[in-house]
Amino acid sequence: WKTSVALGLGARGMIDGRPDDEFGVGYFYNKLSNVENNKADPDDGQGVEGYYNVAVLPSLRLSLNLQWIKSVRPSVDNTFAVSTRLQLVF
């Protein structure tokens, strides 16, 4: 990588009555260095992510995560991913 930038912002308790909920958004950008004789000719990489973490109980959290990742290969589609996570905290 020639240049790599990552930015993020997160917060907790933004909704009245839900002090333990969390959310966040982030962005990354990776600029490739000039590589001689690179036949693949990849693009620069970038992506965006957002999540919301619901405190169902003080020890049980449910997260929803959305991501978009730009493909570094022109012949490959960009990726959009949705995921969930259930976490039990001891």
Side-chain angles (χ1 to χ4, degrees):
W1 303 114
K2 181 177 181 181
T3 304
S4 182
V5 177
L7 304 169
L9 175 67
R12 170 182 234 164
M14 298 295 291
I15 299 174
D16 288 340
R18 306 221 40 95
D20 295 326
D21 286 5
E22 301 173 345
F23 81 93
V25 293
Y27 170 79
F28 76 88
Y29 174 80
N30 296 317
K31 180 165 183 61
L32 293 174
S33 60
N34 294 331
V35 179
E36 293 182 26
N37 301 323
N38 188 346
K39 295 177 183 175
D41 194 26
D43 292 335
D44 296 338
Q46 62 180 321
V48 179
E49 177 180 10
Y51 74 90
Y52 193 86
N53 188 332
V54 179
V56 179
L57 298 170
S59 61
L60 186 65
R61 301 182 180 278
L62 177 65
S63 297
L64 173 64
N65 185 300
L66 305 170
Q67 295 180 12
W68 174 79
I69 302 169
K70 180 183 175 291
S71 175
V72 296
R73 302 261 185 229
S75 61
V76 177
D77 291 339
N78 298 332
T79 300
F80 185 74
V82 178
S83 62
T84 59
R85 177 181 71 186
L86 186 62
Q87 179 184 25
L88 181 60
V89 180
F90 292 91

